[in-house]
Amino acid sequence: MELIDNWGQQATGSRPRTVVTLGVFDGLHLGHQGIIYSVVKSAAKLKAQSLVLTFDPHPLQILAKNVAPPLLTTVQQKAEVMAALDLNRLGVLRFTREMAAIEPLIFLNLYLTKFIEPVAVLLGPDFSFGKDARGDAKTIRAWLHANNPKASLTVVESIGNEQGIFASSQIRQNLRDGLVENAALALGRFYRLTGRVVHGLARGRQLGFPTANLGQIKQLIPGLGVYATRVVIEGITYDSMTSIGYNPTFREKMQTVETNIFDFDHFIYNRELSIDFVARLRTMVNFNSVGQLVCQLEQDKEMARRLHNRLKQKK
């Protein structure tokens, strides 16, 4: 899959026949994946390229930062999931106030007509764009009729499971509540948090549970607790457990994300690290002694190992 980091900046001269969808797709949950799967399937049928155009940052981060939702999925994470869906191209529209002020039809001409010949457009049910969000499916249908009357527009209906319609807002709430397993059911994969390993107080090593401390995090951090997790470093996956909290036993006030990577002893400071959240093991507890904390950590590790072993047996 080709990742085009700043879509709209360079015209190639060619306008390939393309099936396209547009949206933020934060979380890239199963509902979003259903739209992209339909784009890929339609493109194969029409012998065209498949393209997703996604906005980054989230438009509300620019237009109304005080109410903007916390990020679920980085562009790189989106690219990894979309590549697995056999998408041809992912274009990133770098959202600005200037882009938000563009009239809908001008937006379509600037960012689509110049670069592709649209043979089909698929949209989620609530997609809007352009100045004052006045652009919608009707706008695109009229634009298609003017540019390629044979092209089709399809609004893909929302889907869900027994928990309800797949929605990024519900996934965020599940994560805040520590319900990472519910979030995974909607995402179709474990929730992934990415950052860089930063220096901590080295207290975990003193307790016999050395941890990698994750910093420079730009995504929503799950609720306080201890989790069974998997860590990905340079494409290699390791079993782990992760604590998110304020270390109440030591009365620390700064929230940390600390991961104990099993059977691992390498220098990884300043390396990028991703954490996949498998299951919540317990809430945060204020222990009366360090000995009680260590005893609980040993139990947490054993429980996490059992969960990881069950996952491996299912494969």
Side-chain angles (χ1 to χ4, degrees), residues 41-312:
K41 186 177 178 181
S42 178
K45 183 177 180 180
L46 296 170
K47 295 183 171 55
Q49 288 197 5
S50 55
L51 168 68
V52 171
L53 293 180
T54 186
F55 296 96
D56 183 73
H58 193 293
L60 287 177
Q61 283 287 343
I62 302 299
L63 301 176
K65 193 168 185 177
N66 58 320
V67 296
L71 185 70
L72 291 175
T73 317
T74 66
V75 168
Q76 187 56 45
Q77 289 172 2
K78 290 180 186 179
E80 291 169 2
V81 175
M82 292 187 195
L85 296 172
D86 294 327
L87 184 74
N88 293 136
R89 294 195 294 171
L90 170 62
V92 181
L93 288 160
R94 295 299 175 185
F95 193 84
T96 62
R97 286 191 176 275
E98 291 73 21
M99 181 181 286
I102 298 173
E103 293 289 344
L105 285 176
I106 295 175
F107 174 92
L108 293 170
N109 289 328
L110 279 174
Y111 295 107
L112 276 80
T113 305
K114 286 173 60 176
F115 302 98
I116 65 171
E117 178 189 346
V119 295
V121 178
L122 288 81
L123 300 172
D126 302 317
F127 178 70
S128 61
F129 67 101
K131 186 175 181 180
D132 300 324
R134 291 200 298 258
D136 57 14
K138 291 180 180 179
T139 310
I140 295 179
R141 185 173 282 110
W143 169 77
L144 285 174
H145 183 74
N147 286 272
N148 186 356
K150 294 182 180 180
S152 64
L153 182 140
T154 303
V155 176
V156 181
E157 295 302 319
S158 300
I159 61 173
N161 59 13
E162 61 275 6
Q163 296 180 46
I165 296 296
F166 296 127
S168 298
S169 57
Q170 183 58 53
I171 293 169
R172 291 188 187 95
Q173 190 58 54
N174 283 335
L175 292 171
R176 291 188 184 100
D177 294 340
L179 303 176
V180 296
E181 292 165 290
N182 287 354
L185 288 174
L187 291 168
R189 64 191 186 281
F190 297 127
Y191 178 65
R192 175 168 291 188
L193 198 63
T194 298
R196 288 199 174 273
V197 180
V198 298
H199 286 277
L201 297 175
R203 185 168 282 134
R205 185 171 295 278
Q206 296 168 12
L207 299 177
F209 291 86
T211 59
N213 295 267
L214 198 66
Q216 300 180 28
I217 301 169
K218 299 179 180 179
Q219 300 161 257
L220 188 153
I221 298 173
L224 306 185
V226 178
Y227 298 85
T229 53
R230 299 189 309 192
V231 162
V232 182
I233 306 172
E234 295 184 350
I236 301 175
T237 302
Y238 303 88
D239 294 343
S240 61
M241 66 179 183
T242 297
S243 171
I244 297 176
Y246 298 89
N247 293 321
T249 302
F250 298 98
R251 294 178 173 81
E252 294 173 6
K253 296 182 179 180
M254 186 172 67
Q255 187 183 50
T256 58
V257 179
E258 301 177 89
T259 299
N260 175 237
I261 309 173
F262 302 162
D263 308 315
F264 182 89
D265 188 20
H266 299 285
F267 186 85
I268 55 172
Y269 286 116
N270 204 36
R271 300 261 290 278
E272 185 175 89
L273 179 149
S274 293
I275 303 172
D276 289 343
F277 286 81
V278 176
R280 193 186 199 189
L281 300 176
R282 62 174 174 87
T283 59
M284 296 303 294
V285 178
N286 185 1
F287 294 97
N288 295 323
S289 69
V290 173
Q292 287 183 354
L293 170 60
V294 171
C295 182
Q296 181 61 58
L297 289 173
E298 290 172 347
Q299 293 177 38
D300 295 337
K301 190 167 187 175
E302 178 58 31
M303 188 182 303
R305 282 194 184 278
R306 288 201 299 268
L307 284 170
H308 290 309
N309 288 336
R310 282 182 212 155
L311 283 175
K312 292 169 186 174

